[in-house]
Amino acid sequence: MSREIPYKIYLEESEMPKQWYNLRADMKNKPAPLLNPETLQPVTFEELSGIFCEELAKQELNETDTHIDIPEEIQKFYKMYRPAPLVRAYCLEEKLDTPAKIYYKFEGNNTSGSHKLNSAIAQAYYAKKQGLKGVTTETGAGQWGTALSMACSYFDLDCQVYMVKVSYEQKPFRREVMRTYGASVTPSPSETTNIGRQILKEHPGTNGSLGCAISEAVEKAVSTEGYRYVLGSVLNQVLLHQSIIGMETKIALDKYEIVPDIVIGCAGGGSNLGGLIAPFMGEKIRGERDYQIIAVEPASCPSMTRGTYAYDYCDTGRVCPLQKMYTLGSGFMPSPNHAGGLRYHGMSATLSQLYADGLMEARSVEQSAVFEAATQFARVEGILPAPESSHAIRVALDEALKCKETGEEKTIVFGLTGTGYFDMFAYEKFNDGKMTDYIPTDEEIAASCAKLPKVN
Amino acid sequence: MSREIPYKIYLEESEMPKQWYNLRADMKNKPAPLLNPETLQPVTFEELSGIFCEELAKQELNETDTHIDIPEEIQKFYKMYRPAPLVRAYCLEEKLDTPAKIYYKFEGNNTSGSHKLNSAIAQAYYAKKQGLKGVTTETGAGQWGTALSMACSYFDLDCQVYMVKVSYEQKPFRREVMRTYGASVTPSPSETTNIGRQILKEHPGTNGSLGCAISEAVEKAVSTEGYRYVLGSVLNQVLLHQSIIGMETKIALDKYEIVPDIVIGCAGGGSNLGGLIAPFMGEKIRGERDYQIIAVEPASCPSMTRGTYAYDYCDTGRVCPLQKMYTLGSGFMPSPNHAGGLRYHGMSATLSQLYADGLMEARSVEQSAVFEAATQFARVEGILPAPESSHAIRVALDEALKCKETGEEKTIVFGLTGTGYFDMFAYEKFNDGKMTDYIPTDEEIAASCAKLPKVN
C-alpha cells in the first residue's frame, strides 16, 4: 500500500542514520591503493597520518568495515541542518508534462550552501579530538572552504583556506562568509608556499586551479606544527562522510516504498556522487537490486568520459599521494570561460573503479545547456541551484523528457547539492547571453595525459 | 506529558494551515482607516482597487472575518518551501549557558531568502486570477523583489521592480536573481516616472529610499494598462498572508506543549512581526493567555520608539493613501551608513495600533550590536542571518542573558526572517571593523515630523 507522497520528505531525528556506510567494504574490486609520491609504494598509515588526522587516515585506508559509527558530537551538529529534505518535484513534472516521477535530495539548506558541510564537520571533529591547533585546505567555488570555516568555528579550530584565485576574485562574498566564521583566506597560487611561488613563476597571471591550491594547503599543513590538511572531495574518507546523503535518501524512499530507476549526481571530485549513490550501489553490488546510476561531469573537464584510467597525482604540485583514477592529467587546467564548477582534473578512486567495472555510466554536458536547465528548474521549483548541481538537473530533465516520449513512468532521483546564491556572476553571464561553451580537443587531453607519471 | 523536543520541528503537510488569520477582526481598537491622499477621506474599495487587485483590496479592508481561506494554488506553492522549521537553539543555549529556552522560526530556506515569498505568491496569484498582465513593485534590500520575481515567474506574470538605488548598486547579485526569474529591475529614483524625475531633480545623487521607490512603482502601475501595484510590507493584506508564519509557529509549539513567554520580531514595515505575532496577539487580545511581545527596530530608523503616532503618507511621493501609524515623517531618509535593512519611515497601521494600546513593546538597537549578535549566532547555530533578522537575534540574546542572571527559565521565540547571503558587503564592513552607528538627533526627527500632513 503506497501512502500519499508529500512535496518534501523529512526524516524524524530518530530516523537519521547513526552510522556512515563504507561502500568500499562491499566492493568486489577494491580501488587501487594510494601510492607514496616519493617511493611510488602503497602509502602506510604512518605516512598518511603525517598529512591527515589519525582517525581520518584510518578511515582512508579502511576497506573492511561496512559501517562506521558517527560520533555523538557530529550527530548533534548534523541535527542543526539535517535531515536534508527529499523533495518530490511535482511542479517540475507538471511543467514538463512527463510521466516520470522526479525526486531530488536537497543539500543546500545550510550556510555553506552545499553538502560539503557533512564531511567538514567530521574532519574538524577528528582534528579537534587529536588536539590539533588548526587545519589547512583549498577551496574552488568556495563551498568547501565555507563549510570548513563553519565546522572549525564550531569546534574552535584555526582554519586556513587557499582559495583558487579566479574564485577569490569573482566570489568576494564567499570569502567574507569564511571570514565571518573566523577563517583566514589566501588566493592561490600565493607567495606563502614554495609550490605557490614556483607556479607563479612558471605561469604568471594564472587563474589558479584546485590542483595548485591543494599543493599549497598540503605544504602549509605539513610544515606547520599542530596542523593537518583536510580535503573536501576525492578521498575515501570524504565519500564515507557523504554517505549520509544517500542513506537519508534511501530511508526516505523506503518509508514511502519508492524504488528509483535512475540515480543521478554531478561529479567533480566525486564527494556528492559517491555519497548519494553509496547505498544504491551497495545493493547493486550485492545483487539485491539494480539501478541505473549516472555521473554527470562538465564537457570542459571530462575526466570520466574522456580521461585515462591510470595512476596520477591528486594535485598539480605532485606533493600528494598518487591515486588510480580517471584523469585528464594533473597539469590539466580547465578553460577560464568555464563557470560551472567541477573543475577537478581527476575523480575519486572509488568512483573510478565502479565506473571501470561498468557499474555506473558517465555523461558530460556543456555549460550553456546546464544553465538553461538551472534557470528552468529555478523558475518552477523555486530553488536557484548551484551550477555544479545543475549538471545533474540537466540530465534529470533529459531523462524525464525521454520518459515523455516513451511514456515510461520512471522514478528519477538526483542530488541537488547546493544553491547558486554565490554564483550570480555566472548567472549574469547567462542572463546576458554571453555564456559560451568550451570543449577541450583530443590533442589537448592527449598532451596533458602524456605527462602522467610512469608508474602505470 | 512533554515529549523530547527535536532540533527542528517540521509540521506534516496535513498540519499546515489552510487559512490565514486576520488579527484585525479580533482587535478591540481597529487601526484607523486609510485616507485618500486627495480627499483625505477614508478610501473606498473602488479607489483601492485602482491600485491593488480587487481581491487584495477586499482583504485590505476586511475587518470582520477572522479567517480567510488560502486558495489551493497558493497552498500548493507553499508546500514547495514550507513548512518553515521551528528550530530549538540548543547550541546557542549551551554557548550562552542560559537557562532560557530559545526557539526561532526560520523563514530563510527559499531562494528569496526570506519570509517575503509568503505574501508575494498570494499577491501574484490574485493578480493572475484577475487576468492582469503584470505587477509593479519596489524593493529595498531586494528580498521582496526577489520573492515577487519568483512568484510572478511561477504564474507567468510580468514583473517590474523599482530597486532602491543604493541596494541596486551594492547588491548586484539580488538584481541577477530577479533577472534569472524574468523580472525587469530599475534603480530608483529613475527617469521612468514623473515622481522619479522630480526626486532626482530635488536630490541629485540621492541613494534612494523605499518611500521613493514605492511612489515610482505606484505611478507606473496606475498609468499602465493591465498592471497593478503590489507591496511587500506595511499593508493589512501583507500581514494577513504573513500570518502563516505565526500560525505554523503556534501549531509546532502546541504540538510539543510549549508556551512561549516572549515573542520577538524585527520590524521595518511590519510584515514579519505582524505575521509572527498574529496568533499570540490574538490570544492576548481575547484574554486567553498573556505574552511579552517585543518589536525590534534599528536605532537609525526608530519609528515606534521615537516617531509620532499620526496620519502620514506611506511613500515619499505622497501618491499612496495615508495611514495612521508611528512615523518619522515620509521625508525621513535613514543615514546611508546604515546597512542593516528596516529602512522604512513608518510602521504597519495594525502594529501601530497594538503598540499604542500597550499590547506590545518596542526596542531599538544599534547596527554594530546587531552584527555582533549576527556573527555570534552564525558561528554557533550555523545560519548566517540577514541583518534585518539579526535585530531580533540581538534582543533574543539580551533576554537570554538576563535569564542567565536571574535564573529564570523563560521560553523565547523569535523570528529569523532570512539569510544574509546577499549582505556580505555589510558583513565585510563589520569584519573589517569599519561599521559605525548612527542615531538621528531629536532635532532631525522633529524637523521631519514637522512636515506631517495636516489631517492630524
Side-chain angles (χ1 to χ4, degrees):
Chain A
M1 197 201 71
S2 66
R3 297 154 60 189
E4 193 186 338
I5 295 160
Y7 278 68
K8 295 191 294 314
I9 306 176
Y10 281 108
L11 303 184
E12 302 284 330
E13 269 184 16
S14 57
E15 295 171 314
M16 286 173 67
K18 290 179 178 55
Q19 296 184 309
W20 292 302
Y21 171 53
N22 185 19
L23 175 62
R24 270 179 311 155
D26 277 334
M27 285 170 71
K28 280 164 194 152
N29 299 326
K30 308 290 183 198
L34 293 168
L35 301 185
N36 179 315
E38 285 166 24
T39 64
L40 297 183
Q41 294 303 306
V43 289
T44 62
F45 168 75
E46 286 65 33
E47 288 166 347
L48 264 192
S49 55
I51 304 177
F52 303 122
C53 309
E54 286 176 18
E55 198 61 35
L56 293 166
K58 268 188 220 164
Q59 291 179 358
E60 193 59 33
L61 299 172
N62 187 332
E63 290 186 340
T64 48
D65 300 319
T66 56
H67 291 83
I68 291 173
D69 288 342
I70 305 175
E72 288 280 344
E73 292 86 339
I74 299 175
Q75 285 191 46
K76 189 173 152 188
F77 189 87
Y78 278 168
K79 284 179 193 164
M80 281 206 294
Y81 72 98
R82 306 197 68 80
L86 180 69
V87 186
R88 172 73 183 267
Y90 282 117
C91 295
L92 182 63
E93 291 170 18
E94 196 180 312
K95 190 83 173 181
L96 295 176
D97 189 23
T98 173
K101 295 172 182 67
I102 308 173
Y103 294 85
Y104 54 91
K105 179 70 169 173
F106 181 44
E107 292 284 329
N109 277 348
N110 72 75
T111 293
S112 83
S114 81
H115 66 293
K116 296 283 182 182
L117 195 52
N118 302 331
S119 184
I121 193 63
Q123 297 193 46
Y125 167 77
Y126 291 119
K128 187 70 181 182
K129 203 179 156 203
Q130 194 175 320
L132 297 178
K133 287 184 206 157
V135 291
T136 70
T137 198
E138 81 298 329
T139 197
Q143 291 180 335
W144 168 247
T146 312
L148 190 69
S149 305
M150 291 174 68
C152 286
S153 151
Y154 185 78
F155 285 124
D156 207 13
L157 273 174
D158 184 40
C159 181
Q160 301 193 3
V161 181
Y162 287 87
M163 187 169 187
V164 177
K165 201 174 164 192
V166 62
S167 298
Y168 184 90
E169 285 162 0
Q170 286 182 4
K171 302 188 176 185
F173 282 15
R174 284 275 191 201
R175 183 186 70 215
E176 285 311 318
V177 177
M178 291 186 252
R179 287 184 67 210
T180 299
Y181 283 93
S184 63
V185 188
T186 308
S188 167
S190 77
E191 297 285 347
T192 67
T193 62
N194 292 328
I195 297 284
R197 286 186 289 271
Q198 191 183 321
I199 292 173
L200 279 173
K201 206 169 156 190
E202 288 170 16
H203 304 278
T206 174
N207 282 306
S209 72
L210 262 189
C212 305
I214 293 175
S215 303
E216 289 206 84
V218 171
E219 181 184 323
K220 189 76 179 181
V222 298
S223 63
T224 314
E225 177 69 25
Y227 280 72
R228 288 292 185 286
Y229 169 67
V230 296
L231 177 63
S233 191
V234 181
L235 297 172
N236 295 319
Q237 58 190 266
V238 175
L239 267 66
L240 175 71
H241 307 146
Q242 295 296 356
S243 69
I244 187 97
I245 304 173
M247 294 177 79
E248 278 187 10
T249 302
K250 188 77 173 55
I251 295 168
L253 290 170
D254 287 349
K255 207 170 155 179
Y256 288 87
E257 298 173 27
I258 304 158
V259 180
D261 298 291
I262 312 177
V263 182
I264 303 166
C266 62
S271 67
N272 153 68
L273 182 71
L276 173 68
I277 69 173
F280 303 99
M281 186 59 87
E283 287 191 341
K284 189 167 175 165
I285 290 173
R286 297 190 304 268
E288 294 163 13
R289 187 166 257 152
D290 198 22
Y291 302 98
Q292 184 181 9
I293 296 175
I294 308 174
V296 190
E297 56 184 17
S300 61
C301 194
S303 57
M304 276 187 286
T305 49
R306 298 178 65 202
T308 303
Y309 189 39
Y311 265 108
D312 193 10
Y313 295 92
C314 292
D315 63 320
T316 313
R318 305 189 161 198
V319 297
C320 286
L322 288 82
Q323 101 176 347
K324 192 172 176 191
M325 60 182 174
Y326 284 88
T327 178
L328 297 162
S330 64
F332 183 82
M333 295 251 182
S335 160
N337 91 331
H338 175 66
L342 311 174
R343 306 171 66 88
Y344 188 61
H345 69 275
M347 180 55 58
S348 136
T350 297
L351 293 174
S352 292
Q353 185 65 51
L354 293 167
Y355 181 54
D357 289 344
L359 289 160
M360 65 179 195
E361 302 166 30
R363 292 189 200 164
S364 72
V365 289
E366 296 181 31
Q367 70 175 351
S368 54
V370 165
F371 277 85
E372 266 166 37
T375 302
Q376 189 176 356
F377 180 83
R379 291 188 180 188
V380 181
E381 286 289 314
I383 298 167
L384 187 89
E388 293 81 2
S389 325
S390 304
H391 288 71
I393 296 176
R394 175 70 272 162
V395 170
L397 293 182
D398 293 344
E399 289 297 320
L401 291 171
K402 269 190 220 165
C403 287
K404 187 177 175 177
E405 279 180 30
T406 62
E408 287 174 291
E409 294 185 20
K410 284 188 182 173
T411 296
I412 300 169
V413 173
F414 72 89
L416 189 67
T417 55
T419 52
Y421 306 149
F422 294 103
D423 300 286
M424 294 318 297
F425 285 126
Y427 274 96
E428 183 175 19
K429 221 168 162 182
F430 179 74
N431 292 337
D432 290 343
K434 290 181 183 158
M435 182 160 277
T436 53
D437 293 317
Y438 177 80
I439 303 179
T441 62
D442 288 341
E443 290 69 28
E444 276 176 84
I445 293 177
S448 175
C449 284
K451 294 178 196 151
L452 285 172
K454 299 292 172 230
V455 273
N456 296 292
Chain B
M1 199 202 69
S2 65
R3 296 153 61 187
E4 194 186 335
I5 295 159
Y7 279 68
K8 295 191 294 313
I9 307 176
Y10 281 107
L11 303 183
E12 301 285 330
E13 270 184 14
S14 57
E15 296 170 314
M16 285 173 67
K18 291 180 179 52
Q19 297 184 309
W20 291 303
Y21 171 53
N22 185 18
L23 175 62
R24 269 177 312 153
D26 277 335
M27 286 170 70
K28 282 166 192 147
N29 298 326
K30 308 289 183 199
L34 291 170
L35 301 185
N36 179 316
E38 284 165 24
T39 64
L40 299 182
Q41 294 301 307
V43 289
T44 62
F45 169 75
E46 286 66 32
E47 289 165 347
L48 264 192
S49 55
I51 305 176
F52 303 122
C53 308
E54 286 176 17
E55 198 60 35
L56 293 167
K58 268 188 218 162
Q59 291 179 358
E60 193 60 33
L61 299 171
N62 187 332
E63 290 186 342
T64 46
D65 300 318
T66 56
H67 290 83
I68 291 174
D69 288 342
I70 306 174
E72 289 279 344
E73 291 87 339
I74 299 175
Q75 284 190 47
K76 190 172 151 187
F77 190 87
Y78 278 168
K79 283 179 194 165
M80 280 207 293
Y81 72 99
R82 307 197 67 80
L86 180 69
V87 186
R88 173 72 184 268
Y90 282 118
C91 294
L92 183 62
E93 291 171 16
E94 196 180 312
K95 190 82 173 185
L96 295 175
D97 189 23
T98 174
K101 294 173 183 66
I102 308 173
Y103 294 85
Y104 53 91
K105 179 71 168 172
F106 181 44
E107 292 285 329
N109 277 349
N110 72 75
T111 293
S112 83
S114 81
H115 66 294
K116 296 283 183 181
L117 195 53
N118 301 331
S119 184
I121 193 64
Q123 297 193 46
Y125 167 77
Y126 291 119
K128 187 71 182 181
K129 203 180 156 200
Q130 194 175 320
L132 297 178
K133 287 185 208 156
V135 292
T136 70
T137 197
E138 81 298 329
T139 196
Q143 291 180 335
W144 167 247
T146 311
L148 189 69
S149 306
M150 291 175 67
C152 286
S153 151
Y154 185 77
F155 285 124
D156 208 13
L157 274 173
D158 184 40
C159 180
Q160 301 193 2
V161 181
Y162 287 88
M163 187 169 187
V164 178
K165 199 173 165 194
V166 62
S167 298
Y168 184 90
E169 286 162 0
Q170 287 182 5
K171 302 187 176 185
F173 281 15
R174 284 273 190 204
R175 183 186 69 215
E176 285 310 317
V177 177
M178 291 185 252
R179 287 184 68 210
T180 299
Y181 283 94
S184 64
V185 188
T186 308
S188 167
S190 78
E191 297 285 347
T192 67
T193 63
N194 292 327
I195 296 284
R197 287 186 288 269
Q198 190 183 321
I199 293 172
L200 279 173
K201 206 169 154 189
E202 287 170 15
H203 305 277
T206 174
N207 281 306
S209 73
L210 263 188
C212 307
I214 293 174
S215 303
E216 290 206 83
V218 171
E219 181 184 324
K220 189 78 180 178
V222 297
S223 63
T224 314
E225 177 69 24
Y227 280 72
R228 289 293 184 286
Y229 169 68
V230 296
L231 177 64
S233 191
V234 180
L235 297 172
N236 295 321
Q237 57 189 270
V238 175
L239 267 66
L240 174 71
H241 307 146
Q242 295 295 357
S243 69
I244 187 98
I245 304 173
M247 294 177 80
E248 278 187 11
T249 303
K250 188 76 171 56
I251 295 167
L253 291 170
D254 287 348
K255 205 170 156 178
Y256 288 87
E257 298 174 27
I258 304 159
V259 181
D261 299 290
I262 312 177
V263 181
I264 303 167
C266 62
S271 66
N272 153 68
L273 182 70
L276 173 68
I277 70 173
F280 303 99
M281 186 59 86
E283 287 191 339
K284 189 166 176 167
I285 289 171
R286 296 190 305 268
E288 294 163 12
R289 188 166 254 153
D290 197 22
Y291 300 99
Q292 184 182 9
I293 296 175
I294 308 174
V296 191
E297 57 185 16
S300 61
C301 194
S303 57
M304 276 187 286
T305 48
R306 296 178 66 201
T308 303
Y309 190 38
Y311 265 108
D312 192 10
Y313 294 92
C314 292
D315 63 321
T316 313
R318 303 188 163 199
V319 297
C320 286
L322 289 81
Q323 100 175 345
K324 192 173 176 191
M325 60 181 174
Y326 283 88
T327 177
L328 297 162
S330 64
F332 184 84
M333 296 251 184
S335 160
N337 91 332
H338 176 66
L342 311 174
R343 305 170 67 89
Y344 188 61
H345 69 274
M347 180 55 57
S348 136
T350 297
L351 293 174
S352 292
Q353 184 65 50
L354 293 167
Y355 182 53
D357 289 344
L359 289 161
M360 65 177 194
E361 302 167 29
R363 293 190 198 163
S364 73
V365 289
E366 297 182 30
Q367 70 174 351
S368 54
V370 165
F371 277 84
E372 266 166 38
T375 302
Q376 189 175 357
F377 180 83
R379 293 188 179 188
V380 181
E381 287 289 315
I383 298 167
L384 188 88
E388 294 81 2
S389 326
S390 304
H391 288 71
I393 297 176
R394 175 70 272 164
V395 170
L397 292 183
D398 293 346
E399 290 297 320
L401 291 171
K402 269 189 219 164
C403 287
K404 186 177 174 175
E405 278 180 30
T406 63
E408 287 173 290
E409 294 184 23
K410 285 188 182 172
T411 296
I412 300 168
V413 173
F414 72 88
L416 188 67
T417 56
T419 53
Y421 305 150
F422 293 104
D423 300 286
M424 294 318 298
F425 285 128
Y427 273 96
E428 183 176 20
K429 221 168 161 182
F430 180 74
N431 291 338
D432 289 342
K434 289 180 182 159
M435 183 161 275
T436 54
D437 293 317
Y438 176 80
I439 303 178
T441 62
D442 288 341
E443 290 70 29
E444 276 176 84
I445 292 177
S448 175
C449 284
K451 294 178 196 153
L452 286 172
K454 300 292 173 227
V455 274
N456 297 291

